[in-house]
Amino acid sequence: MQLTLDISSQAEKFLSKRSGKELRQLSEKIDQLCGNPFPGDATNVSGYASFKKVDQGEFRIIYGVETEALKILIVERRNDDEVYKVLRRMFK
């Protein structure tokens, strides 16, 4: 089953600044998540049980799965402090 894709404005903005290999790799990973939202490399986000995280190269993707949609919340460099700071700001 292929989930529909819902990308947050933060993730969209981050992706719009990528090009070439980085954008292609991130796009491929997001497409894979739409087909299989629970791959073996996905882990729970500490403190946010309904969200998962996966890494793609030097990037981290934070996402959730709703009824028939994959919601991409955050795409950011793999720096946990920064990723969690962005996540906290989204849920203030």
Side-chain angles (χ1 to χ4, degrees):
M1 178 174 91
Q2 188 78 4
L3 299 173
T4 59
L5 184 58
D6 181 9
I7 300 180
S8 73
S9 58
Q10 185 282 341
E12 197 170 308
K13 182 178 176 182
F14 186 86
L15 290 169
S16 72
K17 295 178 183 177
R18 309 275 78 80
S19 63
K21 181 181 176 184
E22 290 178 346
L23 181 59
R24 187 179 74 255
Q25 288 176 334
L26 288 166
S27 296
E28 287 174 5
K29 187 65 169 186
I30 290 169
D31 285 344
Q32 290 171 4
L33 289 172
C34 284
N36 176 14
F38 305 107
D41 63 338
T43 58
N44 292 328
V45 176
S46 299
Y48 299 89
S50 59
F51 299 120
K52 297 277 188 193
K53 63 183 177 182
V54 292
D55 295 335
Q56 176 56 51
E58 63 184 81
F59 301 100
R60 176 150 297 153
I61 300 170
I62 306 289
Y63 66 97
V65 178
E66 298 174 355
T67 310
E68 293 185 16
L70 178 74
K71 179 151 180 79
I72 304 294
L73 296 173
I74 300 172
V75 179
E76 192 65 57
R77 294 215 180 263
R78 281 177 53 184
N79 174 343
D80 277 336
D81 291 339
E82 184 62 30
V83 169
Y84 282 102
K85 189 186 307 179
V86 171
L87 190 57
R88 281 190 299 273
R89 273 186 278 178
M90 291 180 90
F91 290 98
K92 273 189 172 181

